């Protein structure tokens, strides 16, 4: 062992002890005859003192150290004269007696500090140096702890962790698969799993009863801001349970992990909200309920005043922004610009202020009397000093826009504190989603989801109205995970494939082995999967998932550090029975 | 919840309770007016009784059940008149009161019993049914438990679990990589990792100090009997440690897991054996030390008797098979055939029996006097009743042959009990292995392994003699894992690449990012990886790793259940900028 103690553990009680530490030189300061070195390892920082008057050679050696040199240091723990209350080891320092340079370092391309001067690309290229920064390492420590606590809880609840294959067959999630050419099976390819969905259902058929896996999943999608081609899922499945059992178990899981990793205790049951309400009151299937500002429908109050914009709209809805009557013209213009951005796409923004004295001002004052406007603000629950913001248009579209506006107002009013956590179950998702382009229904969750018993009669007659036994866990406006009760009867599953437009041949090709399995006594089962990366970033209070991942890829799916993907040798291609389409590649470049 | 109890938990103390169970019909027997159903779930089997005289309709329904039907059953726990001591629930049965058939089952293609009538192929095709068998599920339960206990120990010892990428760059383990064409980076490929070796070393450079991961690894090799294209590794790395620290930590890990999962306590430190001794005394770098029968070198005793076979041999070595003087001619012929099999390749087998009366008999009696032969048997420690078996030839080759013979004799003499565990550290592996074919040295462990300090001066002058700080954990003749101290100085690493015949360009292309990382203060570090599949099969007492894996592939790398790998759509190929080499595929078929 190169050390007797870590750089994070020495306290005043250790004064007088002889210790050996090893770590990286964080900082070096000369003050007269003294040289101070901050020595850093994963566990903390400890100050080392070299005294030129006591040991000139040793002090000279210390003065020759550079940032990020790796040293081994022996000395005696002493109480500091000027203590550092910001550092757990701030009461002590080590009086250096011997030092070995274990490795030198070139000057790193950016500073190894919480606020580094390295830009994103540089940090990714030198990720191994970036990882030395507390701010980055802390997230990965948290991730490790979260995974352990997840496993502890699931283990305590009789779940078996089972690894499912990475070299597998296309899964039906609908995104593009990454594929792997098979050398031993010429012309054939494995697919990397988009999720272990089919395998976990087969494990239920196999009687495993309670399964989980912290599983790598893969999607070859054009990467949006916060997506990675490989991501990690906390994947779970249970047999002989109904929806209530599933919600209870996984609510317990989330409570356990928050308690164990952040000391946060959720004492109440998580609220539940039908999907239809989430859309009606928040315009989103993942409402942020850290704050109110629910949508209020105003269409009936707006009619018959010759205001064409509202009269021609299918939907008119408002939110009450508390204390915003004081918003200036400039602030309101900025909000209007915000909702008119192409990403949001509203045509305009209507506002009604309830002034401190109770009088009303509005951008639509010439169409509506103060009394008419007051009816609207009253319905929105606006008090003197508040402002009501109104959007209108097609129902679904406007709700989405109003959702964006609501979240923005939440930000502006400081209602979205990162240390407040508002969990929510969204339940009763619709079974199907209609796609205008292809003129057919798609499964909103996936084709194995059980329709609500009460709606089974509607499956053929009113397909779009069928609710599913599907549920999402939402927190602070982020979907942490979701799942469903699965179909376990082959007949119902076949009907579902038919409704989703699979020919029997295609269904058989894709899911034949699952349908075969279902012939041999599939138990009722249900499951859920959390996105681990997002789960960690939520608990860590991060805006992005990227810093919850040790070696993330950039938006082109490249690892900047090892510069992969990369060309491979012709010999490898030959062995795999494939050729590059060089013409097409050239045309792409 | 579909049940109030599982099929494994009811005992005599529950008599009189009303319970609901759910599970699969294992067996159905009619005895007069009574119908007995064995109901099975993951937790056990419980007997259900239907009485035709009490509820005819219910009993009729029971009589209509088939094997593997899934039912929900409500009834009252009662003491059995004829108890079944082989079953934990054997003291009770459930008097049926209500039953729901949750799902029907076709007749399964093989019996769901510990000893199934299904052949390997059938079992793999219907793996979801195979998984219902206790014998199979038990291994996967054990695997889950082993993983949890591994994590508990490593977590308690401050190891962080960090996920490293699956979509990465070629690793230098020397086997073939599986590759993944990149759609976003035309003409380029990711490689699936053969191990997280480089990433874990980068984590050490990044100051992570103690890392582990239960990691999926991939090798595109022609599959030998007990290999899988994807396998799982318990991958570990530590900083600021020497070899002794590593051995201590991971010896502790193995002790913990054996204790926690099988109740087996290793009270002594694991013995350690230099690689040179392992080869000299056992002819193997993974000796099975459950039994002795060490090699004894006899060359000096054999010389000068005109026995050309021995005189022309570089090496003559024997083992003492206790109690085998009674072996018949037929038994000895069988042993001779065994060593002459092409896989072993010995030219012949020499034997010397020490009869019960102390007299000597031997296949080489006409060349050596009884006195000469006695010197040999004495050196081998043979007592009356024992037999000495001797092979000769080139040293390395003969040792390998003698190793096979020793293991065979261990089997024949019942010295290799599956419930006896003999752990061993093999240390001081050679740094390099000479390859005759390519006329160059290869790294025996890998190119990042630290040479023994004492041998550094030999690196250029006597390369083959250099020992490495490399170690294997061996148990019962199986390599469970291995690792090494890594090089952390860039100069030494560069020298190593040179000795291994990498041009600077090639080294830079392959490991440039690692060498860059080493410029910024790499700490001394070391690591180890266990093969999880083998680890589980050792603890489970299995001969193969296949049944430690939920969904294994066959020897052609195929998943028999979902029939992957499979053809993919032309559209997919186009998107990936690749074409099939149809001519080559056709010529292969």
């Amino acid at each position: 062992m190169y050390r007797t103690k870590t750089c994070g553990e020495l306290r005043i009680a250790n004064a007088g002890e002889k210790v050996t530490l090893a770590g990286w030189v964080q900082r070096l300061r000369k003050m007269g005859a003294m040289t101070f070195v901050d020595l850093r390892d994963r566990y903390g920082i400890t100050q080392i003192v070299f005294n030129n008057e006591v040991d000139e050679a040793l002090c000279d050696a210390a003065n020759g150290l550079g940032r990020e040199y790796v040293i081994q240091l022996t000395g005696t723990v002493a109480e500091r004269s000027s203590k550092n209350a910001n550092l757990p080891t701030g009461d002590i320092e080590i009086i250096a007696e011997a030092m070995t340079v274990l490795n030198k370092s070139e000057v790193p391309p950016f500073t190894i500090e919480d606020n580094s001067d390295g830009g994103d690309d540089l940090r990714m290229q030198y990720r191994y140096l970036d990882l030395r920064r507390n701010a980055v390492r802390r997230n990965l420590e948290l991730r490790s702890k979260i995974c352990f606590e997840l496993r502890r809880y699931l283990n305590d609840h009789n779940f078996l962790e089972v690894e499912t294959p990475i070299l597998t067959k296309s899964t039906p999630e609908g995104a593009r698969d990454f594929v792997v050419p098979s050398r031993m099976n010429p012309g054939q390819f494995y697919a990397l799993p988009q999720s272990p969905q089919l395998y976990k259902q087969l494990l239920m058929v196999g009687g495993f009863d309670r399964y989980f896996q912290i599983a790598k999943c893969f999607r070859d999608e054009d990467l949006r801001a916060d997506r990675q081609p490989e991501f990690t899922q906390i994947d779970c499945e249970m047999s002989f349970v109904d929806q209530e059992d599933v919600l209870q178990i996984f609510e317990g899981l989330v409570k356990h992990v928050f308690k164990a990793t952040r000391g946060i205790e959720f004492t109440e049951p998580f609220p539940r909200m039908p999907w239809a309400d989430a859309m009606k009151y928040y315009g989103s299937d993942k409402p942020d309920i850290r704050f109110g500002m629910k949508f209020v429908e105003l269409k009936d109050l707006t009619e018959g005043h010759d205001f064409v914009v509202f009269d021609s709209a299918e939907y008119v809805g408002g939110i009450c922004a508390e204390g915003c009557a004081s918003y200036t013209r400039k602030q309101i213009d900025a909000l209007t610009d915000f909702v008119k951005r192409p990403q949001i796409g509203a045509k305009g923004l209507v506002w009604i202020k309830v002034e401190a004295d109770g009088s009303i001002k509005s951008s639509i004052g010439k169409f509506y009397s103060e009394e008419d406007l007051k009816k609207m603000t009253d319905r929105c629950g606006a008090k003197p000093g508040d402002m009501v913001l109104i959007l209108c248009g097609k129902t679904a579209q406007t709700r989405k826009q109003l959702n964006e506006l609501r979240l923005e107002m939440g930000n502006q009013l400081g209602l979205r504190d990162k240390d407040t956590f508002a969990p929510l179950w969204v339940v009763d998702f619709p079974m199907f989603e209609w796609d205008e382009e292809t003129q057919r229904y798609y499964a909103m969750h996936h084709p194995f989801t059980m329709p609500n018993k009460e709606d089974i009669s509607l499956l053929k007659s009113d397909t779009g109205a069928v609710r599913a036994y599907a549920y999402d866990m939402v927190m602070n406006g982020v979907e942490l995970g979701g799942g469903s009760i699965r179909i376990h009867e082959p007949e119902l599953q076949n009907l579902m494939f038919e409704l989703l437009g699979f020919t029997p041949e295609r269904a058989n090709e894709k899911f034949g082995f699952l349908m075969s399995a279902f012939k041999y006594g599939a138990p009722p089962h249900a499951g859920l999967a959390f996105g681990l990366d997002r789960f960690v970033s939520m608990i860590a209070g991060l805006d992005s998932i990227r810093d919850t991942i040790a070696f993330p890829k950039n938006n082109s799916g490249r690892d900047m550090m090892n510069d992969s993907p990369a060309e491979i040798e012709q010999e490898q291609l030959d062995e795999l029975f494939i050729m590059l389409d060089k013409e097409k590649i050239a045309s792409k470049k």
Side-chain angles (χ1 to χ4, degrees), chain A:
Chain A
M1 197 69 91
Y2 282 74
R3 62 188 170 199
T4 59
K5 298 280 177 187
T6 71
C7 296
E9 65 183 301
L10 293 169
R11 299 288 182 274
I12 193 78
N14 301 100
E17 283 178 28
K18 187 150 181 166
V19 297
T20 300
L21 304 181
W24 287 263
V25 173
Q26 173 81 16
R27 213 154 75 102
L28 186 143
R29 280 158 301 153
K30 283 182 66 168
M31 294 175 72
M34 315 290 271
T35 294
F36 296 92
V37 167
D38 285 350
L39 192 65
R40 187 197 69 234
D41 67 12
R42 169 181 144 198
Y43 309 94
I45 286 182
T46 298
Q47 178 167 291
I48 318 291
V49 194
F50 298 83
N51 189 334
N52 197 39
E53 284 164 12
V54 174
D55 187 336
E56 200 183 324
L58 186 61
C59 194
D60 279 355
N63 289 331
L65 295 172
R67 279 202 286 135
E68 301 305 317
Y69 273 45
V70 187
I71 64 169
Q72 182 184 41
L73 190 287
T74 299
T76 302
V77 183
E79 183 170 359
R80 276 205 216 181
S81 49
S82 66
K83 302 197 165 57
N84 180 348
N86 297 322
L87 222 55
T89 63
D91 287 352
I92 59 97
E93 59 194 5
I94 314 287
I95 313 297
E97 286 159 29
M99 180 178 79
T100 308
V101 174
L102 298 173
N103 223 340
K104 293 181 179 186
S105 173
E106 293 187 5
V107 177
F110 51 82
T111 55
I112 312 295
E113 307 275 358
D114 278 7
N115 290 310
S116 171
D117 57 359
D120 255 20
D121 282 359
L122 205 61
R123 287 176 44 213
M124 286 305 138
Q125 189 185 343
Y126 296 91
R127 182 64 165 177
Y128 43 86
L129 297 179
D130 196 33
L131 290 172
R132 287 188 192 161
R133 296 168 55 228
N134 270 323
V136 178
R137 198 197 54 250
R138 215 180 289 127
N139 297 326
L140 289 157
E141 286 175 342
L142 179 64
R143 185 183 178 110
S144 178
K145 187 160 172 57
I146 287 172
C147 287
F148 187 72
E149 292 299 337
L150 285 166
R151 287 190 164 99
R152 194 205 297 273
Y153 178 91
L154 291 167
N155 190 63
D156 287 348
H157 286 80
N158 257 323
F159 282 78
L160 297 174
E161 184 162 25
V162 181
E163 292 173 57
T164 56
I166 298 288
L167 296 173
T168 176
K169 195 173 183 171
S170 275
T171 41
E173 324 294 295
R176 265 189 219 92
D177 287 316
F178 282 104
V179 297
V180 182
S182 167
R183 183 179 54 86
M184 293 215 271
N185 301 275
Q188 299 191 325
F189 293 75
Y190 300 101
L192 304 183
Q194 292 182 40
S195 89
Q197 182 65 33
L198 296 184
Y199 284 112
K200 71 175 172 174
Q201 293 197 241
L202 290 171
L203 285 172
M204 294 305 107
V205 176
F208 271 53
D209 203 86
R210 294 186 166 202
Y211 143 92
F212 84 101
Q213 183 181 194
I214 298 188
K216 268 286 172 78
C217 304
F218 304 85
R219 271 178 208 181
D220 186 9
E221 290 178 305
D222 296 324
L223 300 180
R224 280 182 274 150
D226 209 22
R227 285 274 176 98
Q228 289 280 321
E230 56 181 296
F231 56 98
T232 307
Q233 200 163 290
I234 309 156
D235 192 52
C236 309
E237 197 79 7
M238 308 168 74
S239 290
F240 301 117
V241 288
D242 52 36
Q243 180 166 311
E244 188 57 33
D245 304 316
V246 177
L247 301 195
Q248 290 295 346
I249 278 277
F250 294 106
E251 188 166 317
L253 175 68
V254 171
K255 286 179 173 176
H256 170 78
V257 172
F258 269 81
K259 178 94 196 296
T261 62
R262 286 210 43 176
I264 291 171
E265 213 151 341
F266 294 105
T267 50
E268 298 297 311
F270 291 2
R272 298 180 189 183
M273 189 185 292
W275 178 87
D277 285 358
M279 299 314 287
K280 183 178 167 73
Y281 296 116
Y282 300 93
S284 165
D285 58 5
K286 38 179 191 280
D288 183 350
I289 59 165
R290 277 175 297 185
F291 63 107
M293 226 188 272
K294 284 164 113 176
F295 299 177
V296 178
E297 293 185 7
L298 302 169
K299 175 73 178 166
D300 57 321
L301 297 182
T302 63
E303 270 174 299
H305 292 79
D306 296 329
F307 183 44
V308 170
V309 177
F310 279 177
D311 286 351
S312 64
E314 182 185 17
Y315 173 94
V316 180
I319 55 174
C320 173
E322 278 186 40
C324 292
S326 58
Y327 262 42
T328 61
R329 178 62 172 269
K330 203 172 150 194
Q331 282 176 298
I332 292 177
D333 284 351
L335 281 181
T336 307
D337 289 346
F338 174 82
V339 296
K340 286 169 89 173
R341 292 186 311 164
Q343 303 95 305
I344 300 185
K347 294 249 168 59
L349 175 67
V350 167
W351 53 266
I352 315 173
K353 287 181 180 177
V354 184
E355 301 288 355
D357 62 2
S359 68
I360 304 276
K361 268 199 207 153
S362 172
S363 57
I364 49 170
K366 56 181 150 182
F367 297 99
Y368 296 91
S369 68
E370 190 158 333
E371 197 185 336
D372 293 328
L373 294 170
K374 187 133 194 330
K375 278 187 194 152
M376 299 184 209
T377 58
D378 279 354
R379 189 182 279 178
C380 292
K383 304 174 308 299
D386 295 349
M387 176 167 63
V388 167
L389 298 169
I390 301 174
L391 295 177
C392 68
K394 291 245 187 205
T395 305
Q397 206 176 21
T398 310
R399 280 175 171 164
K400 269 190 200 162
Q401 295 160 353
L402 205 50
N403 166 52
E404 297 290 344
L405 181 62
R406 174 180 175 271
L407 293 178
E408 172 61 20
M409 291 314 299
N411 288 336
Q412 293 197 8
L413 298 177
L415 302 172
R416 305 182 73 193
D417 171 30
K418 274 193 180 155
D419 290 319
T420 301
F421 296 96
L424 171 71
W425 286 109
V426 176
V427 297
D428 293 340
F429 273 78
M431 188 77 205
F432 301 98
E433 221 170 0
W434 177 256
D435 184 61
E436 276 300 328
E437 198 181 320
T438 51
Q439 288 284 306
R440 73 171 184 88
Y441 281 108
Y442 282 85
M444 193 149 186
H445 189 61
H446 57 51
F448 315 113
T449 302
M450 177 81 92
N452 191 307
K453 267 200 299 264
E454 296 167 14
D455 300 345
I456 289 222
S457 61
L458 307 175
L459 271 173
K460 291 199 156 174
S461 57
D462 189 4
T463 311
V466 175
R467 289 166 302 161
Y469 288 117
Y471 33 81
D472 273 1
M473 182 180 287
V474 170
M475 195 176 279
N476 296 3
V478 172
E479 181 200 325
L480 288 186
S484 63
I485 308 278
R486 326 300 185 185
I487 298 169
H488 62 278
E489 300 106 335
E491 298 77 21
L492 184 56
Q493 186 65 70
N494 280 331
L495 173 59
M496 207 57 55
F497 286 145
E498 188 189 312
L499 290 170
L500 291 168
F502 286 95
T503 62
E505 292 71 34
R506 176 108 180 117
N508 186 55
E509 186 195 320
K510 279 277 188 198
F511 317 116
F513 63 104
L514 186 72
M515 297 317 296
S516 296
F518 276 17
K519 288 182 198 150
Y520 296 100
H525 59 292
L528 181 141
F530 293 99
L532 177 64
D533 309 306
R534 213 161 291 282
F535 199 99
V536 174
S537 77
M538 174 64 58
I539 297 185
L542 298 172
D543 293 319
S544 151
I545 61 166
R546 205 154 87 162
D547 273 340
T548 70
I549 298 170
F551 300 101
K553 295 191 172 59
N554 73 9
N555 282 349
S556 319
R558 290 200 78 76
D559 183 328
M560 304 281 282
M561 186 182 68
N562 66 15
D563 200 26
S564 64
E567 260 110 61
I568 62 174
E569 317 265 336
Q570 184 59 43
E571 197 188 336
Q572 273 177 289
L573 294 171
D574 290 345
E575 280 190 333
L576 297 171
F577 306 92
I578 57 175
M579 302 181 291
L580 295 181
D581 191 340
K582 289 198 176 135
E583 228 167 274
K584 204 149 165 244
I585 292 170
S587 77
K588 187 85 182 178
K589 278 183 178 159

